[in-house]
């Protein structure tokens, strides 16, 4: 039992063989990333099979806008992972606690803003990227549900980023697998069973994301031996907010540029009609699997580097 508990505990990457630590961390995360891509692929399969090509095209047209509106969370998640890994490596309990607290507070503020602003800008943005009128309503419904329910997505990304910063990629994997299985069953139930169509897929996604975020929160709440989590540490402090943004904004700006490119490509794709849009969705789902190894080892090295920089073991960073 002790060995099993160790697997789901924060992992100190400042000791041991670097290649072993990186590999041990990467494998669960790679499986998790594949599961997350499967998550999106199942949405497409269910909606295409039970509703039709136009519904699949609607989901595909909506995703670039959804990713663009939520790109800030990529910056916060990346910054959180780096900051948490550095303080964990330095064994600084107070700063680790406050950095985690400020991440949670910023996420709440931003998620609320998106919940308010998102529904206002959805239809103008869909019209701007030449969304065909035949799928415009489906696209809008899909986005509205995802944006109003964005707390699950937002907190899962932030909390799993914190877990990774602590060296615990296995817990995030288990929670993601639970979420993926739940999403598959809810997709089939809402779409095939209740005939809810595109909104059913969105609702299934939101529920699954909320469950995974709650599981991550429970896991972090029980890590009393590593850091404190209370209202005091969640008060925003200029020092930690500035550091979080400094670490996360470069990644966030990169994602903004990438998201704008995808929005532009989607705008051009939409001109050719629903069938081409649906084909593009299928291709992008398959392409997503090919990117998983690069993405996984990039995050693994971020955590490894962060912990060893925090511990001032720069020779391990070079070796890693």
């Amino acid at each position: 039992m002790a060995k099993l508990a160790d697997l789901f505990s924060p992992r100190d990457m400042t000791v041991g063989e670097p290649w072993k630590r990186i590999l041990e961390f990467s494998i669960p995360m790679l499986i998790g990333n594949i599961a997350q891509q499967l998550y999106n692929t199942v949405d497409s399969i269910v909606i295409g099979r039970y509703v039709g090509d136009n519904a699949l095209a609607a989901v595909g047209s909506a995703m670039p806008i959804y990713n663009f509106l939520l790109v800030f969370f990529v910056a916060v998640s990346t910054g959180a992972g780096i900051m948490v890994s550095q303080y964990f490596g330095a064994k600084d309990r107070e700063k680790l606690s406050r950095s985690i607290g400020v991440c949670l507070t910023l996420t709440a503020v931003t998620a609320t803003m998106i919940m308010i602003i998102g529904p206002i800008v959805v239809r103008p943005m869909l019209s701007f990227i030449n969304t065909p009128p035949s799928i415009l309503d489906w696209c809008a419904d899909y986005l509205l549900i995802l944006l109003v329910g964005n707390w699950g997505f937002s907190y899962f990304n932030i909390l799993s980023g914190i877990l990774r910063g602590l060296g615990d990629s296995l817990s995030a994997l288990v929670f993601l697998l639970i979420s993926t299985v739940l999403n598959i069953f809810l997709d089939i139930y809402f779409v095939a069973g209740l005939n809810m169509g595109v909104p059913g897929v969105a609702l299934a996604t939101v529920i699954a994301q909320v469950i995974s975020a709650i599981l991550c929160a429970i896991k972090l709440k029980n890590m009393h031996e590593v850091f404190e989590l209370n209202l005091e540490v969640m008060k925003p402090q200029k020092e930690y907010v500035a550091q979080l943004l400094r670490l996360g904004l470069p990644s966030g700006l990169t994602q903004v540029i990438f998201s704008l490119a995808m929005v532009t490509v989607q705008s051009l794709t939409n001109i050719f009609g629903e069938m081409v849009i649906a084909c593009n969705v299928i291709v992008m789902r398959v392409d997503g699997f090919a990117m998983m190894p690069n993405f996984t080892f990039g995050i693994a090295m971020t955590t490894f580097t962060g912990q060893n920089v925090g511990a001032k073991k720069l020779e391990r960073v070079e070796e890693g």
Side-chain angles (χ1 to χ4, degrees), residues 97-98 100-102 104-105 155 229-236:
S97 301
R98 292 193 178 277
I100 291 173
V102 77
L104 300 182
T105 301
Y155 268 105
L229 188 57
N230 51 50
L231 292 178
E232 174 61 29
V233 301
M234 292 180 70
K235 292 179 182 177

Side-chain angles (χ1 to χ4, degrees), residues 2-320:
K3 287 287 186 182
L4 184 61
D6 290 343
L7 291 175
F8 292 91
S9 300
R11 190 177 297 275
D12 189 348
M13 300 178 79
T14 65
V15 295
E17 287 288 332
W19 72 268
K20 286 183 180 178
R21 287 288 178 261
I22 293 168
L23 195 62
E24 288 168 356
F25 184 83
S26 298
I27 290 174
M29 196 163 54
L30 177 60
I31 297 170
N33 288 334
I34 291 172
Q36 190 150 25
Q37 187 62 28
L38 182 64
Y39 196 115
N40 297 327
T41 303
V42 168
D43 279 357
S44 300
I45 293 171
V46 172
I47 201 71
R49 179 177 179 84
Y50 292 103
V51 187
D53 294 337
N54 278 14
L56 180 57
V59 171
S61 285
M63 288 312 295
I65 291 178
Y66 179 64
N67 292 333
F68 176 72
L69 290 174
L70 295 182
V71 75
F72 176 79
F73 292 110
V74 175
V76 176
S77 179
T78 301
I82 297 171
M83 192 159 66
V84 165
S85 65
Q86 288 181 355
Y87 289 138
F88 180 70
K91 306 297 187 290
D92 192 326
R93 183 183 177 88
E94 181 182 353
K95 288 185 176 180
L96 176 60
S97 301
R98 292 193 178 277
S99 63
I100 291 173
V102 77
C103 291
L104 300 182
T105 301
L106 280 180
T107 300
V109 172
T110 309
T112 302
M113 289 173 58
I114 289 175
M115 187 185 296
I116 296 169
I117 296 171
I120 298 172
V121 302
V122 159
R123 282 189 175 271
M125 290 186 74
L126 287 171
S127 298
F128 180 73
I129 64 169
N130 306 310
T131 304
S134 58
I135 61 173
L136 184 61
D137 288 340
W138 271 343
C139 287
D141 291 344
Y142 184 75
L143 282 171
L144 285 171
I145 293 171
L146 290 181
L147 292 173
V148 170
N150 82 87
W151 278 61
F153 170 89
S154 306
Y155 268 105
F156 176 69
N157 275 273
I158 299 304
L159 296 176
S160 59
I162 292 170
L163 284 171
R164 286 193 295 266
L166 294 170
D168 183 4
S169 59
L170 192 57
S171 293
L173 165 63
V174 172
F175 302 150
L176 185 57
L177 290 176
I178 292 171
S179 177
T180 300
V181 172
L182 179 62
N183 182 64
I184 292 170
F185 281 108
L186 290 176
D187 269 345
I188 295 171
Y189 177 65
F190 288 153
V191 177
L194 300 182
N195 295 314
M196 291 177 65
V198 172
V201 172
L203 185 60
T205 298
V206 167
I207 293 172
Q209 288 172 344
V210 168
I211 295 298
S212 59
I214 290 172
L215 292 172
C216 284
I218 292 171
K219 173 66 178 179
L220 285 168
K221 182 65 176 172
N222 290 328
M223 288 184 172
H224 308 292
E225 72 283 0
V226 181
F227 64 91
E228 299 288 338
L229 188 57
N230 51 50
L231 292 178
E232 174 61 29
V233 301
M234 292 180 70
K235 292 179 182 177
Q237 293 188 10
K238 185 177 179 181
E239 173 192 350
Y240 295 98
V241 173
Q243 186 177 3
L244 178 65
L245 294 178
R246 179 177 62 82
L247 292 170
L249 276 181
S251 175
L253 290 174
T254 301
Q255 290 299 318
V256 166
I257 295 169
F258 181 71
S259 293
L260 284 173
M262 295 307 295
V263 169
T264 303
V265 169
Q266 190 63 53
S267 177
L268 295 172
T269 305
N270 287 346
I271 295 172
F272 295 97
E274 299 88 347
M275 190 58 67
V276 173
I277 299 170
C279 290
N280 186 56
V281 174
I282 296 167
V283 171
M284 293 306 294
R285 293 292 184 263
V286 175
D287 180 64
F289 286 101
M291 299 303 295
M292 289 298 104
N294 293 340
F295 181 69
T296 299
F297 281 106
I299 294 178
M301 280 307 302
T302 298
T303 300
F304 179 85
T305 302
Q307 286 194 15
N308 284 284
V309 167
K312 296 182 169 46
K313 295 185 177 180
L314 300 184
E315 73 285 350
R316 280 181 64 83
V317 175
E318 293 180 13
E319 190 176 349

